[in-house]
Amino acid sequence: MGLASGVEITSSGPTSIEKASGQSVKLDCQFNLDAVDSGPLDIEWSLISNDNQKEDKVVILYAGDRSYDDYFAQMKGRVHFNSADPKNGDASINLTGLKSVDSGTYQCKVKKAPGIRSRRMLLIVMVKPSKPRCYAEGPTQEGKDIVLRCKSNEGTNPLQYSWDKTSGGKLLPSSAVLDPVGGTVNVRNASAGASGSYRCIASNRVGSEECTLYLNVTPPPNTAGIIAGAIIAVLLFLIIIAIILFCCCRARHRKKYEKEICNEIREDVPPPKSRASTARSFTVGSQRSSLGSMSPSNLHEYALKPQYDKIPSDEYERPPSSIPLPPPTATRMAGPNLSRMGGIPVMIPAQNRDGSIV
């Protein structure tokens, strides 16, 4: 046992250290050698694995009067011995640019045959809170419940949140309920006096950050006016739709009526006469016109000719609607009486409305 107790580690500092990410830390490991220790000096720092089935990771090594600091790639360039010559009794190391993954249990082992001693230290690398975000949740109106929220996305737990008012009375409203873990403030039945600037502070054991928020509590809106306006807008919309539909129906009816008028056949217009009927009418009209130039002496002879009786009558060619009315009746005088009076009997042909001789 005397051989085993030749080397002594004299460090008596804390075995647990908390640091913030980005900072530096010194892991202390001071030792004394004994005269009986005659072998070579070896110093080894390792990161103890939490799993017993996995090997420990060597972080830095001193052997044969030489330092080796490139064993652990995760800490390459960030770890080195505190002393340029560790054999003088200072096996402490410095870690720079700490990261959260650097957290763990570190072991300092000093060996000088036949003596060997070791010391363990717990390093906790904490991340300080990131700048939180402050916002109001829910309608910020009088008589409503308003929730002020504060949230930090980064930071090692446990995180603590605190709220205070930086304007006015600098006191939270009497109806406010604070949740320091969730980072909320519930202002129940908010009033206009709750308006103002608020500050939230997120903190843990290694740092803190804060954010500010301005809360403006407004009067409730005029619900009746909004409903009335909505009803008027709907009615106007329906009236416009009705006017458009009426105009479309009227235009469509007008087009349909014009189309029917164009295709309508008028019944009061007689159909046109054929060519044969026109030729006959022309011949009869010519013959009848010639009777007007005959004298009473040859009129009798012309009347005895059979061709006069063959003149066709227009009454068979005209439609019933165009049959001429009978000529007005006049007082007839017998032939003997007309002769005594010295008159000469003359036959006057009758005429229709269109001027043709009957």
Side-chain angles (χ1 to χ4, degrees):
M1 292 180 62
L3 296 176
S5 61
V7 177
E8 293 289 340
I9 295 180
T10 60
S11 296
S12 59
T15 58
S16 179
I17 301 175
E18 293 181 354
K19 288 290 183 177
S21 61
Q23 294 182 346
S24 299
V25 65
K26 176 184 176 182
L27 301 182
D28 191 46
C29 185
Q30 304 291 331
F31 67 93
N32 289 328
L33 297 175
D34 194 272
V36 297
D37 298 327
S38 58
L41 178 65
D42 293 334
I43 302 173
E44 178 185 284
W45 280 89
S46 59
L47 180 60
I48 306 300
S49 177
N50 294 327
D51 190 352
N52 294 329
Q53 298 180 357
K54 293 183 179 180
E55 296 182 356
D56 299 337
K57 299 176 181 177
V58 177
V59 175
I60 192 171
L61 179 65
Y62 177 85
D65 296 336
R66 182 179 175 184
S67 299
Y68 300 90
D69 54 6
D70 55 354
Y71 271 88
F72 194 25
Q74 179 177 309
M75 293 185 180
K76 186 175 182 180
R78 297 191 297 118
V79 58
H80 58 274
F81 282 102
N82 184 58
S83 174
D85 192 2
K87 67 181 180 180
N88 293 328
D90 186 7
S92 304
I93 61 172
N94 294 321
L95 298 177
T96 60
L98 291 177
K99 301 178 182 179
S100 59
V101 294
D102 296 338
S103 298
T105 301
Y106 291 81
Q107 177 177 265
C108 173
K109 184 185 292 186
V110 180
K111 296 185 297 182
K112 188 172 177 64
I116 181 172
R117 285 287 185 269
S118 64
R119 183 173 188 257
R120 291 187 178 185
M121 301 182 64
L122 176 62
L123 174 64
I124 301 174
V125 180
M126 303 182 67
V127 178
K128 78 173 188 174
S130 61
K131 187 175 181 61
R133 185 172 75 93
C134 298
Y135 60 96
E137 190 176 76
T140 58
Q141 300 172 1
E142 293 182 3
K144 301 289 185 179
D145 292 346
I146 302 175
V147 178
L148 305 182
R149 291 191 177 276
C150 178
K151 181 65 177 176
S152 180
N153 294 327
E154 296 180 0
T156 302
N157 291 325
L159 292 177
Q160 294 290 323
Y161 297 92
S162 62
W163 283 88
D164 60 349
K165 192 176 181 182
T166 59
S167 64
K170 295 187 178 181
L171 293 175
L172 294 177
S174 58
S175 61
V177 178
L178 176 63
D179 181 6
V181 178
T184 62
V185 173
N186 188 0
V187 182
R188 297 179 179 177
N189 194 18
S191 62
S195 299
S197 298
Y198 291 80
R199 178 180 62 182
C200 171
I201 300 176
S203 61
N204 58 12
R205 291 195 295 269
V206 293
S208 64
E209 287 288 345
E210 64 181 42
C211 63
T212 58
L213 168 69
Y214 183 78
L215 177 63
N216 183 24
V217 181
T218 59
N222 186 3
T223 308
I226 295 175
I227 295 175
I231 294 175
I232 293 174
V234 171
L235 291 177
L236 290 176
F237 178 75
L238 293 177
I239 290 173
I240 293 173
I241 294 297
I243 292 174
I244 294 174
L245 292 177
F246 175 77
C247 294
C248 293
C249 294
R250 187 173 181 181
R252 184 177 179 182
H253 180 71
R254 182 179 298 174
K255 290 182 180 180
K256 183 178 180 181
Y257 178 75
E258 292 177 355
K259 185 176 181 181
E260 291 178 354
I261 291 298
C262 294
N263 296 334
E264 184 179 357
I265 300 176
R266 299 185 61 182
E267 296 180 358
D268 56 345
V269 179
K273 296 180 180 181
S274 62
R275 290 186 177 182
S277 175
T278 305
R280 256 193 326 268
S281 298
F282 177 77
T283 304
V284 172
S286 300
Q287 292 178 355
R288 292 179 181 177
S289 299
S290 61
L291 293 177
S293 61
M294 291 183 181
S295 61
S297 59
N298 55 16
L299 181 61
H300 183 266
E301 295 178 0
Y302 187 81
L304 297 177
K305 294 182 181 181
Q307 61 183 0
Y308 186 75
D309 297 335
K310 297 180 180 179
I311 297 175
S313 175
D314 285 343
E315 296 178 358
Y316 295 96
E317 300 176 1
R318 296 175 182 171
S321 61
S322 60
I323 298 176
L325 297 175
T329 56
T331 306
R332 295 185 179 181
M333 188 175 292
N337 295 332
L338 187 62
S339 298
R340 289 194 199 102
M341 296 175 65
I344 301 173
V346 179
M347 182 178 180
I348 300 176
Q351 295 183 355
N352 288 336
R353 292 181 180 179
D354 57 356
S356 58
I357 300 174
V358 180

